[in-house]
Amino acid sequence: MDKHFPFVDWFRNASPYINAHRGRTFVILIEGEAMASGRGEQLVQDLALLHTLGVRLVVVFGTRPQVHEALSLAGVEPTRVNGKWVADRAVMAHVEQVAAHQRLWLEARLSLGLPSTPLHGVELSVISGNLVTAKPLGVREGVDFDHSGEVRRVRADAIQGLLDKGSLVLLPPLGFSSTGEVFDLDAAEVAQHAAVALKADKLILLGESEGLEDDEGELLRQLSPAEADPRLASAQPGSELARHLNAACNAALEGVARTHLLSWRNPDALLGELFTRDGVGTMITQHRYEQLRSAKLNDIAGLLELLEPLEQRGMLVARSRERLEHEIDDYMVIERDGMVIGCAALHLFPDSRVAELACVAVHGNYRGGERGERLIEALERRARKRGLSAIFVLTTHTAHWFVEHGFKPATLDDLPPLKREAYNHARKSKVLMKTLAGEGGARP
């Protein structure tokens, strides 16, 4: 008996993403808690894998828990204002020491190449340096923040040159000024500015949380910056949620296509987010990666792939490529990250104010998310704008679903003459009709 390896299926399904990510620039933030918890080894292996797959990597690392520990051991209690600490000389001595230690540890782990290690045969050049310039926060609300700073500029040209040479660029949460001073920076802010300056394809923020949840505790897969704003406003100042959401929303508003909120606690999070269609975390983006739109000719292959299983089960009448091409303007599709996962058509009839709602289909992996409802609503709006009075469906399997969405039993006599003459009596499809009103339509 042939053995089945689930990994092989996953690898095949991941191939489109492997191709899509090759040559792309990702800025990845790894918070200090990941290193403190022992997750650093796993993350280093994943970074090396992404590098071998041709991803251009800029890695920003945090040091907050390590600095906290160093300050505690030294008996230093920093002053805090609105979630930020005042980095005076005593604090900065530990900040610089911890950042240097973390940088050296990452460089050492990314250089590991023994035969018994996952990085065997991988040659990684890891480069760090004075790639982020900073300015002091200064005096705010009467408090001098000393060497606590904010990003002034990321040296994008220098980083691009390093990436072009195949290097992985490592950025600590530190910045340097033209006066030769070193400033303590928020790692999330560094990652945000780096992603924007580099016009990165992705900003990935690895923190404690797996992403954002709705009121029922379900993971929110995608939000726009506007949708994330209320959560940002209610987040505790200085918290990881506030810092990550602020970075994600600002990056999205400034042109970074996709920002991902992931948990370093999940060892599969980074690769699962990048190489599966639905991912495992929350994505902040200005552009919906699932969109409802009018169909185009280059959707034909996706439509055929979506409809074939339903046609084989007798749920839909078979449609040839030629027929789909001829009727493509009648269709609307739901596209998810380049894949057609839903469709429906509105077929008009000459001299009739009644149209057919046809070919309503949603991919089996994406049912239950009200996508069918969205398709019907969109085509109802299209019908109303055309001044139609009603739409009808012919169905053999899903009559109850259409009834639940406002359709009522009708007869062949209610159909336009052309459809009535073409009715396939062998299929015994049920006729259901829904009247329309508003936006130009009127009740019949």
Side-chain angles (χ1 to χ4, degrees), residues 36 49 70 78 83 126 139 150-151 162 185 224 227 232 249 255 257 277 282 310 318 332 341 354 369 387 429 438 441:
L49 175 59
V126 184
V139 179
E150 57 187 357
V151 176
L162 295 170
L185 302 177
S224 67
E227 291 168 331
L232 177 57
C249 292
R277 187 171 299 280
T282 297
L310 300 175
M332 296 198 75
I341 65 166
V354 178
S429 300

Side-chain angles (χ1 to χ4, degrees), residues 144-224:
D144 185 348
F145 277 86
D146 207 347
H147 281 75
S148 294
E150 57 187 357
V151 176
R152 180 188 294 274
R153 183 172 65 90
V154 173
R155 296 177 58 198
D157 289 343
I159 295 175
Q160 291 285 14
L162 295 170
L163 295 175
D164 290 342
K165 294 178 181 178
S167 298
L168 183 153
V169 176
L170 200 58
L171 299 180
L174 298 175
F176 304 88
S177 72
S178 57
T179 58
E181 296 175 282
V182 182
F183 289 95
D184 178 42
L185 302 177
D186 174 18
E189 183 189 357
V190 173
Q192 171 205 321
H193 282 268
V196 171
L198 294 168
K199 298 179 175 59
D201 299 282
K202 289 182 183 293
L203 169 61
I204 300 171
L205 306 170
L206 285 159
E208 291 269 1
S209 173
E210 293 184 358
L212 302 177
E213 297 179 345
D214 61 17
D215 294 336
E216 282 73 45
E218 294 294 322
L219 181 68
L220 292 167
R221 298 289 185 182
Q222 179 182 353
L223 287 88
S224 67

